[in-house]
Amino acid sequence: MGIDYFAGVEGASGFAYAGSPLDRASEIREDAAKIAQLHGRADARFILLGRDMPILAQRAPEPCLFPLGTLEELGGPAFEVLLGLGEGGAPWFAAQLPDARIQQRADASDGFLDRRDLVIPGRDDLALVDLRSIASQGLVPAPMVAILGQAKAIVDWHARHGFCAKCGAPTRAAAAGWRRECDACKAQHFPRTDPVVIMLAVDGERCLMGRQRRFPKGMYSALAGFVEPGETIEEAVRREIREGSGIVSGPVRYVASQPWPFPSSMMIGCLARAETTAIQVDAHELEDARWFDRAEAQAMFDKQHPDRLWLPNPMAIAHHLIRFWLGRAS
Ligand SMILES: [Zn+2]
């Protein structure tokens, strides 16, 4: 009898920022002539970003897709990346506008939500909208949110890596935007993806959630933290739970992952079996951490908690981890 290695495994489909339909076509990235030819195709599509915000056209059927002409009207890109090939082999590019083209009118960001008010002077028909708002308000279809996430993450990487981390000389983009090279010391630099573990410690019929000070009032979520060099996913899960809450945990299981382009994380969702139950909150990391039984977590999930406690919305993998623990389909 064969072993079903995939029993009970959930895919990551349906998560915000996941499920891009593009063929990344990595095999053509080194072919500069081919990239130039794709760039000139009449069906080439351009996603435009200013700073790290996607640009949306008001009243357009596909508000985040532009022809090359619009990019040229705006003064051309600071740099471009081939995102991949869409239907019929149509090439999709991400293009970053020069910073000087963008004006910041205000910044009411609160550490949780991005509330920068960015505009392109003279172009009232174009709006810069932060990606979380685009996703949470459903301003574009879900597959497009994934493509915008890819575009934002790679464009932001370029914006932050203009200089060689090894020798300090300026770097230049190569491989259709998927590498940067240093001509001074010949170092090659590749786009970053930073692994973050996000997890629920589980004690029988209870799970552990916490809240950071910057969270909106009443919101609790799974604990999370960056994987450090020299650590496995399992070790990072156990360390982050212990550091945040004092809880020691044992076996860890992977549930699902989600790209999180703020700016370049990969959220790795896990459950961990708690082996101790006494909570000692690390005040530097968390405002509170506590156990929630199923009934209470269900009430939070359904937005019916008597103390108005609530969970992250379905954009976040934390929502799906809690849903998975509750055994709910949706
Ligand atoms: Zn260098």
Side-chain angles (χ1 to χ4, degrees):
M1 206 170 89
I3 301 170
D4 181 359
Y5 295 104
F6 304 103
V9 172
E10 286 212 333
S13 63
F15 290 10
Y17 316 114
S20 166
L22 296 186
D23 168 2
R24 289 175 178 246
S26 55
E27 68 282 3
I28 62 172
R29 289 174 184 168
E30 304 289 347
D31 186 344
K34 173 80 176 164
I35 302 300
Q37 181 242 322
L38 289 172
H39 196 264
R41 272 176 62 153
D43 60 357
R45 293 160 165 221
F46 291 81
I47 284 170
L48 307 183
L49 296 102
R51 308 283 165 88
D52 59 342
M53 277 196 195
I55 295 171
L56 303 189
Q58 322 268 21
R59 296 177 296 280
E62 293 185 299
C64 62
L65 292 179
F66 297 89
L68 180 57
T70 308
L71 179 57
E72 288 170 345
E73 280 165 32
L74 292 168
F79 49 80
E80 282 175 318
V81 177
L82 175 68
L83 297 175
L85 306 178
E87 221 169 295
W92 292 51
F93 291 89
Q96 169 89 334
L97 297 186
D99 270 1
R101 201 72 183 79
I102 311 297
Q103 188 190 335
Q104 180 165 308
R105 286 197 298 212
D107 185 358
S109 302
D110 58 6
F112 190 74
L113 292 175
D114 181 357
R115 294 205 175 100
R116 287 170 297 162
D117 182 8
L118 303 180
V119 294
I120 304 173
R123 291 301 300 257
D124 294 344
D125 58 324
L126 302 176
L128 287 92
V129 186
D130 79 278
L131 185 55
R132 276 194 184 86
S133 298
I134 292 174
S136 64
Q137 295 170 27
L139 300 182
V140 301
M144 192 67 77
V145 172
I147 298 170
L148 289 177
Q150 178 194 7
K152 177 186 182 302
I154 184 72
V155 158
D156 191 53
W157 174 73
H158 280 284
R160 290 167 189 250
H161 291 79
F163 295 90
C164 179
K166 192 172 167 194
C167 78
T171 55
R172 61 180 170 78
W178 290 93
R179 194 170 66 229
R180 293 190 76 86
E181 294 186 345
C182 175
D183 292 326
C185 77
K186 307 297 178 208
Q188 295 188 328
H189 302 279
F190 294 90
R192 283 176 61 162
T193 296
D194 303 322
V196 174
V197 287
I198 179 162
M199 59 270 154
L200 295 176
V202 175
D203 170 45
E205 295 295 297
R206 305 187 297 174
C207 78
L208 180 79
M209 291 191 273
R211 54 173 283 112
Q212 299 175 16
R213 267 171 234 293
R214 65 188 183 92
F215 282 5
K217 191 169 186 291
M219 189 180 98
Y220 278 77
S221 185
L223 306 191
F226 286 101
V227 179
E228 294 190 346
E231 245 180 352
T232 64
I233 290 171
E234 291 85 345
E235 287 163 350
V237 164
R238 292 189 198 103
R239 175 181 55 76
E240 285 290 342
I241 293 172
R242 186 176 41 75
E243 286 176 2
S245 69
I247 300 292
V248 175
S249 41
V252 171
R253 69 153 290 184
Y254 166 80
V255 177
S257 65
Q258 179 189 36
W260 189 252
F262 303 99
S264 54
S265 295
M266 159 64 72
M267 309 300 285
I268 302 166
C270 296
L271 299 183
R273 187 192 293 156
E275 296 193 330
T276 62
T277 57
I279 293 171
Q280 194 165 20
V281 175
D282 173 0
H284 293 294
E285 292 207 2
L286 296 174
E287 185 180 87
D288 187 28
R290 44 165 288 212
W291 294 106
F292 292 82
D293 65 20
R294 277 179 187 281
E296 195 171 12
Q298 292 271 14
M300 292 163 77
F301 201 90
D302 294 328
K303 295 195 169 63
Q304 291 177 347
H305 191 281
D307 299 332
R308 297 197 177 158
L309 303 185
W310 52 288
L311 300 173
N313 71 29
M315 267 174 30
I317 191 172
H319 177 96
H320 299 277
L321 260 184
I322 296 157
R323 178 173 64 78
F324 178 78
W325 174 68
L326 286 169
R328 289 172 60 133
S330 62

